[in-house]
Amino acid sequence: MEQSAHSYSHVVRARNSASTRAGGEFAAMSTTTRSRRSRRNASAMRMVGALLALFREAAGYTQKSLGEIFVVGEQQIASIEQGRRPLKMDLAEQLDQLLDTKGALVAALSEMPEVDLIPLWAEEFLDREREAIAISSYENQVLPGLLQTEPYAWAVFRSRVPFYDEDTIAQLVAARIERQGILQGKNPPITCFVVWEPVLRAPIGGREVWIEQLRHLRACSELPGLMFQVLPMNRTSHAGLNGPFVLLETPEHQRLAYAENQRGSQLIADPDEVAILTQKCAMLRSQALTPEDTRDLLDRLLGEA
């Protein structure tokens, strides 16, 4: 299988996060998961580090020469610039003065959030999703983010425990709606969504939100290259009992998988692990209603509503 320049081959990445949803996929894969504790504002730290590198180079300093001036060493400067070590406020003040940055580093530190809105592990997945040529998704908790209406997304984020404040929810919803642009682009990816029927019938957000969401799903089901299928409740065999997952194919034809559970998420590129999920996806599609029968189900639900 052809690999991209930034290969993820034979890697399973795991991240802990209180912001992930219920799931439970890959409970049996813990032995292949590499866990690493990361700072909760790692993205912001990387941005501050990138600013420092930019200012340092503009002023004509190397990491070594800057480290010698402040007696912190070249390695510490490198770690700060790479986002692996936090920049302390007192050092930021001295750097602003030396590099003549008009207080930019101090201002960046002052505005740096304690927790990233979108953690690094999620950014990695979103980057791959944006460039994917094919996306397959199975959901048994909530409707796929790429198919959610704005009111439904608000209801999902308002259901989170511990609770988000309204400003945070607004930012998360805006980011989710922006993601959906990939379905409307000039060359959208081939997408397949399989959703368990209880998810479709759950009136998240109330009756009006639910009806609007059903109408949106019905419209999305007509998009070119998009297949929406419902897995009925009366099936006696169910290949997705372990939880939701997403399969991606990159422009280089690398296949990746992503899964979430109550306390973490995984971006998976190990071919053997991706193959297992690919088999599950194929089985789920065979167990689900056809896209045509799914549209009929949506029409019936809307008629009953």
Side-chain angles (χ1 to χ4, degrees), residues 141 143 152 197-206 210:
Q141 306 292 333
L143 290 169
Y152 185 95
E197 187 176 353
V199 175
L200 185 68
R201 292 181 176 273
I204 301 295
W210 177 63

Side-chain angles (χ1 to χ4, degrees), residues 98-265:
L98 176 69
L99 302 177
D100 192 25
T101 54
K102 308 296 189 294
L105 291 173
V106 168
L109 280 184
S110 300
E111 298 299 324
M112 190 168 71
E114 293 184 6
V115 180
D116 286 335
L117 179 63
I118 301 178
L120 280 176
W121 51 261
E123 288 181 355
E124 192 170 17
F125 166 72
L126 294 176
D127 286 343
R128 292 305 178 114
E129 182 186 68
R130 277 189 287 268
E131 67 180 18
I133 61 173
I135 301 172
S136 297
S137 167
Y138 167 67
E139 288 286 353
N140 65 355
Q141 306 292 333
V142 295
L143 290 169
L146 290 175
L147 300 181
Q148 292 179 9
T149 63
E150 186 170 334
Y152 185 95
W154 270 91
V156 168
F157 286 120
R158 279 178 171 150
S159 299
R160 179 187 183 269
V161 178
F163 300 110
Y164 281 132
D165 61 69
E166 293 294 290
D167 289 341
T168 298
I169 293 176
Q171 294 177 65
L172 290 168
V173 170
R176 176 156 295 182
I177 299 304
E178 182 182 5
R179 281 174 56 204
Q180 298 174 3
I182 65 173
L183 300 179
Q184 307 289 344
K186 188 174 182 180
N187 296 300
I190 298 297
T191 50
C192 174
F193 301 94
V194 178
V195 173
W196 198 26
E197 187 176 353
V199 175
L200 185 68
R201 292 181 176 273
I204 301 295
R207 181 178 174 80
E208 291 185 6
V209 170
W210 177 63
I211 292 174
E212 180 184 348
Q213 179 65 66
L214 289 179
R215 290 180 179 140
H216 181 67
L217 291 173
R218 184 62 177 84
C220 287
S221 71
E222 300 283 0
L223 290 174
L226 188 150
M227 288 163 283
F228 180 67
Q229 297 177 256
V230 171
L231 180 64
M233 289 187 292
N234 63 3
R235 290 290 187 260
T236 57
S237 181
H238 189 321
L241 292 176
N242 284 340
F245 60 88
V246 179
L247 297 171
L248 303 176
E249 183 177 353
T250 72
E252 298 80 21
H253 303 294
Q254 182 185 15
R255 297 180 186 275
L256 304 169
Y258 178 80
E260 292 183 348
N261 55 42
Q262 286 278 356
R263 298 297 299 169
S265 70

